[in-house]
Amino acid sequence: MIVAIDGPSGTGKSSTSKAVAAQLGLSYLDTGAQYRAITWWMVSNGIDIDDPAAIAAAAGKPEIVSGTDPQAPTIAVDGVDVAGPIRTQEVTSKVSAVSAVPEVRARITELQRTIAASAEQGIVVEGRDIGTTVLPDADLKIFLTASPEARAARRSGELKGSDVHTTREALIKRDAADSSRKTSPLAKAGDAVEVDTTELTLAQVIECVVTLVEEKRAGK
């Protein structure tokens, strides 16, 4: 059972995906963490983020390893645990530019497909282009949405002390960058189930997705 959960930042993707995977005994993959990891490596190694050719040339160098336990997902680059460093503002502000480079997407997409194919019990994969590009044959595709205001409020809650207005502007800017890039843009797959999380609690979103997965399993 492969479940693809896509959507922009602040819709509850990560929290929902982890909880659903844990509840149903599935593996879990945070694809955004992989893009953050390669961005962190680029920044740490002095690669010019404004030079797509430099990014492309270095895309194959770092070794990225994702742990798929939903209770304790891990991410390492060249043997170093980067779960903390990849969440810094510096990485967040540069991940869209790095992610837009086709060579980076090709490298990470291949990694994601390998991980999904090797998940014996099935897997929940969350990202922005999973249902459209990475795993177009996923058993179930879900696209989470929410109003920019709701997303900003949630993200500000995660980034303690951050200004909701500033966060909202940053989210809208990130949406525009991710939706307009030429390679694998953020988009809803034609056969995805859309779930608007604006008025829902996290528990309600999780319950909704678990129900969708169980219905799909029963119908298989």
Side-chain angles (χ1 to χ4, degrees):
M1 183 78 185
I2 293 179
V3 182
I5 300 184
D6 289 308
S9 303
T11 52
K13 270 200 320 279
S14 294
S15 303
T16 299
S17 300
K18 276 188 279 201
V20 169
Q23 206 168 314
L24 297 174
L26 303 171
S27 295
Y28 160 75
L29 178 60
D30 175 358
T31 64
Q34 295 175 316
Y35 283 106
R36 285 174 172 274
I38 200 166
T39 302
W40 173 85
W41 185 90
M42 297 277 175
V43 171
S44 301
N45 285 274
I47 307 297
D48 183 356
I49 302 301
D50 296 321
D51 183 354
I55 294 172
K61 292 180 180 177
E63 183 194 15
I64 298 168
V65 178
S66 298
T68 57
D69 176 358
Q71 309 277 17
T74 57
I75 181 87
V77 179
D78 295 336
V80 178
D81 175 5
V82 294
I86 65 170
R87 302 294 170 184
T88 61
Q89 187 54 44
E90 183 179 26
V91 170
T92 299
S93 67
K94 292 173 177 165
V95 69
S96 283
V98 174
S99 301
V101 176
E103 288 80 359
V104 169
R105 297 208 78 80
R107 163 88 201 284
I108 301 293
T109 295
E110 183 184 359
L111 184 61
Q112 291 162 359
R113 286 175 177 159
T114 301
I115 292 168
S118 62
E120 292 178 8
Q121 304 302 317
I123 191 167
V124 177
V125 183
E126 60 134 316
R128 285 170 165 71
D129 65 339
I130 310 307
T132 52
T133 302
V134 181
L135 300 166
D137 297 325
D139 299 291
L140 175 64
K141 301 174 190 178
I142 294 167
F143 194 85
L144 298 184
T145 63
S147 70
E149 291 72 23
R151 292 164 52 211
R154 288 171 191 161
R155 189 43 62 92
S156 294
E158 292 167 16
L159 308 169
K160 298 290 183 280
S162 65
D163 171 46
V164 175
H165 177 73
T166 306
T167 304
R168 180 178 179 276
E169 294 305 308
L171 285 174
I172 290 172
K173 188 177 173 186
R174 175 97 194 261
D175 288 351
D178 290 348
S179 302
S180 61
R181 64 172 176 243
K182 289 189 174 68
T183 308
S184 304
L186 163 66
K188 177 188 166 190
D191 54 349
V193 179
E194 185 168 323
V195 179
D196 187 336
T197 69
T198 304
E199 303 292 336
L200 302 178
T201 64
L202 177 59
Q204 288 171 323
V205 179
I206 293 165
E207 184 184 357
C208 172
V209 174
V210 165
T211 301
L212 287 169
V213 175
E214 288 179 334
E215 285 174 354
K216 194 73 183 178
R217 270 180 168 171
K220 282 189 77 174

